[in-house]
Amino acid sequence: MTRQDSRKLAAVAEKLREAINHHNYRYYVLDDPETSDAEYDQLMRRLEALEREYPELATPDSPTQRVGAAPSDKFRVVVHRKMMMSLGNAMNADEMREFDKRIKRLLKSDADIEYVAEVKLDGLGIELVYEDGLLTVGSTRGDGINGEDVTPNIRTIRSVPLKLVKPAHGKIPHLLEVRGEAVLTLKAFEKLNRAREEAGEPVFANPRNAAAGSLRQLNPKVTASRPLDVFLYSPGAIDGITFKSQWEFLQGIKSLGLRVNPLSRVCQGVEAVLEYWNEITEKRHSLDYDADGVVAKVNSFGLQEQLGEVSRSPRWAIAYKFKAQQAETVVERIEVQVGRIGSLTPVAKLRPVQLAGVTISNASLHNLDEIRRKDIREHDTVLIERAGDVIPYVLRVTKEGRPRSKPFEMPAHCPECGATIVHEEGEVGYFCVNANCPARMRESIRHFASKTALDIEGLGDKLVAQLVEAGLVKELDDLFSLTKSQLTGLERMADKSAQNILDAIQGARKTSLDRVINGLGIRHVGEHTARQLALRFHTLDALAEASEDDLLSVRDIGAEVAHSIREYFDEPRNLKAVKRLIKVLEIEPVTEAPGRGALRDKTFVLTGTLESMTREDAERKIMAAGGRVTSSVSRKTDFVVAGAEPGSKLKKASDLGVRVLDEKGLNALLAG
Ligand code: IVH
């Protein structure tokens, strides 16, 4: 090829790149595409073909180079040049007015403040760094000071330009850091979850988690398959261009090709911001992404500087969250459930209703006092709410048109076993004191098998109910003498699943003292107290013999807890059950004092083969440093340690956005 030919080809490639970038800009930033998808695809294919034939023509900012990087084993830390701050909250309109007054006071001004009101996006905070117009780093917000370098993943997001657009007036700045939010559209979220469900993989709880999991993927190919989107809204360090206000900044970065939210607006005075909030509240359900409120920012950068910040939040901005989502439905029945210590909990069985994307048919009513206070009765129409988008909660009764009904009463007899219910005057609780109550047994086993206790995988609610119903488990230790034929005799239990469960149960025999103590389900004794007790008493026998005074001398244990522990072991039936457990379990003492351990309260999952130590060594070291090792990855896992040939746990970790360490990383953590 002559030099002239190669120059021509380079010019063709450049033209194609420019055309593609231009169409991206029209599509993602201006939301005003000029071309059809087919035409766009054709341009892409031509460029790809050209670059395949003449690889020297491919530039790093070429739109064909979005998914290039190989998977990595962990993320590098990025120190943000300027801290990424968080926002203070206002709970209601009056608090917004308070915020506005405070600003006027600080600025010693009576005039209306000019704000920019923006949608508060519910995604993952990110930062993009453009040096001389090229995207060089993309990172997560992290703790605001240190983030994670997720550049290869950010590059896969179509609405992030790899190269800034030269604006009609003005030039490309030398340095431009912009902050914003990566979000997953609701459509993409639903599609992703459907695919995961079909593949038998765990689904994401909400688009925010899915976005976080997708961005914190070690393999950029996976990120590329999840159509993330970005909206940019804040400046970081900037050199070579100046903006006088937030509004000018938003317009400026838009003209440089960066995507900004089209709903942002300049508002004169706080009342205009409140109006904006009302409008967005109405609109929020028709948006294609999750939003959780509105952010108001003082427009002028000069005034922002005068106002400054307090404890990592600017004084010039505030978030006003949407009200929790509510719906009306009917209480069809009030049922009473029996817990493991025999406490009765009333639960409203609701006419199923859609609320924030899920069907709600139950809501705990907590206790009789709460029911009385709100006067909730069967057949009432009630207003329910999902606070923090998880637990449904009955807000109040709509009394108009209430049918004739009687106030709710706690039953005199246990709904499960018929024993007399005990209630002490002046106390809130009602209890079934029959230690043989099947409901109590069910709940005890469930708790015993749960993650923070013996962590027996596969022993779910249904199976526990079956085991108790069939009379196969009457005491906790009965679990360990279950046989395969007993299990396969249960409804819907195949040979393979029976074996898996038996293996899981046998695997749980070897455990640590704190887990056993927690698993006993002593009233007021949770994970933390169990650990303190294990550290102090070393064996279950010693704990069972401890006097109330001995117990009171343990860190964080007060009179009520000490009394409850003593009461538990004073009950002959409990003591017998504990003695039997001691015989079947292999209980390891807990040694390291908490607080001193560098990995205090951190949960680890190990996968793959480690080089410098066995898995048991690694477990011991982590535990000695105050950490925990569990067998399966969940959102509660802090670190996954991946050795050679890691299994599916590594994938799960990246899906859930859990941090992954290699052996070196683990050793560094252990070294403190
Ligand atoms: S401004 C100093 N604007 O909310 C300015 N934040 O609680 C700080 N967020 O971590 C951020 N939408 O991830 C700003 N339009 C918006 C936002 C927004 C969502 C998130 C952001 C930040 C958190 C602050």
Side-chain angles (χ1 to χ4, degrees), residues 652-666:
K652 187 150 181 211
S654 25
D655 287 349
L656 293 176
V658 172
R659 267 187 74 179
V660 177
L661 297 173
D662 59 6
E663 202 165 335
K664 254 197 253 147
L666 172 64

Side-chain angles (χ1 to χ4, degrees), residues 526-665:
E527 213 181 334
H528 174 74
T529 307
R531 193 175 159 78
Q532 304 297 339
L533 291 168
L535 283 165
R536 172 62 188 275
F537 295 103
H538 311 298
T539 67
L540 265 185
D541 283 316
L543 174 64
E545 280 162 22
S547 70
E548 252 173 71
D549 280 345
D550 293 338
L551 291 163
L552 275 171
S553 68
V554 178
R555 216 173 104 177
D556 301 339
I557 289 184
E560 197 179 10
V561 184
H563 181 70
S564 160
I565 297 170
R566 209 40 270 153
E567 202 173 53
Y568 178 87
F569 289 106
D570 282 342
E571 166 65 45
R573 192 194 144 106
N574 290 340
L575 193 62
K576 215 163 108 198
V578 168
K579 298 275 180 209
R580 286 169 55 165
L581 270 182
I582 293 174
K583 285 213 185 91
V584 294
L585 295 176
E586 236 180 277
I587 307 174
E588 291 182 342
V590 178
T591 43
E592 183 66 30
R596 267 189 275 135
L599 307 186
R600 181 183 173 201
D601 296 337
K602 294 280 182 263
T603 304
F604 288 74
V605 172
L606 305 174
T607 178
T609 320
L610 300 178
E611 243 171 56
S612 64
M613 54 184 137
T614 65
R615 187 180 279 239
E616 288 70 34
D617 281 343
E619 282 181 16
R620 248 194 310 276
K621 283 184 185 170
I622 291 169
M623 280 173 18
R628 262 193 306 271
V629 181
T630 63
S631 57
S632 61
V633 183
S634 76
R635 264 174 266 283
K636 291 202 184 127
T637 310
D638 294 294
F639 299 98
V640 167
V641 180
E645 291 177 38
S648 61
K649 288 174 188 168
L650 182 60
K651 182 167 177 310
K652 187 150 181 211
S654 25
D655 287 349
L656 293 176
V658 172
R659 267 187 74 179
V660 177
L661 297 173
D662 59 6
E663 202 165 335
K664 254 197 253 147

Side-chain angles (χ1 to χ4, degrees), residues 83-89 117-126 141-142 179-182 208 231-235 246 261 264 292-297 304 312-314 316-317 319 321:
M83 187 173 72
M84 289 179 75
M85 290 188 280
S86 47
L87 292 170
N89 276 318
E118 301 174 6
V119 174
K120 186 168 189 302
L121 304 149
D122 196 8
L124 190 73
I126 57 160
R141 174 178 183 273
R179 282 89 186 263
E181 206 85 356
R208 209 201 75 79
F231 288 107
L232 298 154
Y233 49 66
S234 272
Q246 172 69 4
N261 193 298
S264 303
D292 58 350
V294 155
V295 183
K297 304 173 180 176
Q304 285 188 7
R312 295 188 172 208
S313 304
W316 44 263
K321 296 252 185 116

